[in-house]
Amino acid sequence: MSTLTGNTRTAFLIFFSSHIPITFFIDGQALLPSYLYPSFARSALKFYTDTFHDPLMTSPHPVWFRSMVACEMLFQVPFFFVACRALY
């Protein structure tokens, strides 16, 4: 990718690659049952909600929020992989 070089390319690569596990292990818990996630992911979500008091990530999740997470999993996650491949 010739338009992004140096530190800018590295920053975007880190951004996109770090959001893949965050989306699966943290955001995905709003969509899928918690028993599907490893204990470290459940603990990370509990730490996040206890620390930042995020009402959207605390059960029960509003239907509109669950549909936004579903769109994130359906559209953003594949894009993260494509972006990482293009930037690598």
Side-chain angles (χ1 to χ4, degrees):
M1 186 162 228
S2 62
T3 57
L4 293 176
T5 59
N7 291 337
T8 305
R9 185 191 64 78
T10 303
F12 274 110
L13 183 60
I14 291 170
F15 175 81
F16 289 126
S17 61
S18 69
H19 276 68
I20 294 169
I22 291 169
T23 302
F24 279 124
F25 289 122
I26 304 299
D27 296 349
Q29 291 185 57
L31 188 62
L32 301 171
S34 63
Y35 68 84
L36 294 175
Y37 290 91
S39 62
F40 77 86
R42 292 191 305 265
S43 299
L45 180 62
K46 179 158 177 36
F47 170 79
Y48 172 77
T49 55
D50 290 346
T51 304
F52 298 105
H53 307 290
D54 185 348
L56 294 176
M57 290 305 293
T58 307
S59 291
H61 305 287
V63 174
W64 68 267
F65 182 70
R66 290 173 52 99
S67 49
M68 294 302 291
V69 172
C71 288
E72 182 180 17
M73 299 289 273
L74 185 64
F75 297 113
Q76 282 187 345
V77 170
F79 174 75
F80 292 155
F81 283 102
V82 170
C84 288
R85 177 69 178 110
L87 292 167
Y88 185 69

